[in-house]
Amino acid sequence: SLCAAGEPNLSYRELKDLKKANVLHIDVRERWEIDRFGKIPESINIPLGELMEALQMDPTEFKEQYNQKMPSKSDPVVFSCLAGTRSKQALGFAMSLGFS
């Protein structure tokens, strides 16, 4: 299940359309889940337990750790997980840090 601030629930098709518009897709599942169930193309994996720290990193450190440019607080970001609970938590974390 997928979450974005403007649209709390997205379909996979909506996500594919958003990805064409340079939306950063963060998968908040655990690494073992990615290994077991597969990676969503062009997503970056930041397990929910690491997300608050990751979103507050120095941009250079973020790029080194996740091989991706750190999103600014106004960049479009979509979170996903397996069932939707963690992606909603991730959205709440990001918004509490000032992401719109």
Side-chain angles (χ1 to χ4, degrees):
S1 193
L2 312 162
C3 274
E7 181 62 50
N9 292 300
L10 295 171
S11 69
Y12 185 69
R13 180 176 296 286
E14 288 169 319
L15 176 64
K16 282 177 73 170
D17 289 343
L18 280 174
K19 284 184 161 203
K20 293 175 191 158
N22 288 329
V23 168
L24 178 62
H25 176 198
I26 299 176
D27 187 335
V28 296
R29 293 178 296 162
E30 296 298 321
R31 288 187 177 86
W32 69 265
E33 292 176 281
I34 304 289
D35 292 342
R36 185 170 181 186
F37 302 112
K39 182 181 189 303
I40 298 170
E42 297 163 30
S43 67
I44 63 169
N45 176 231
I46 305 176
L48 186 62
E50 293 176 24
L51 186 67
M52 284 291 277
E53 184 181 335
L55 293 177
Q56 297 177 81
M57 280 180 172
D58 173 79
T60 306
E61 189 182 350
F62 186 94
K63 175 113 175 98
E64 285 172 9
Q65 182 148 352
Y66 299 107
N67 201 27
Q68 180 80 37
K69 179 182 165 284
M70 184 170 177
S72 75
K73 296 200 184 312
S74 61
D75 285 344
V77 178
V78 173
F79 297 100
S80 67
C81 63
L82 195 59
T85 303
R86 288 173 288 180
S87 59
K88 282 186 178 67
Q89 284 181 284
L91 178 61
F93 288 164
M95 291 177 80
S96 76
L97 292 172
F99 284 81
S100 56

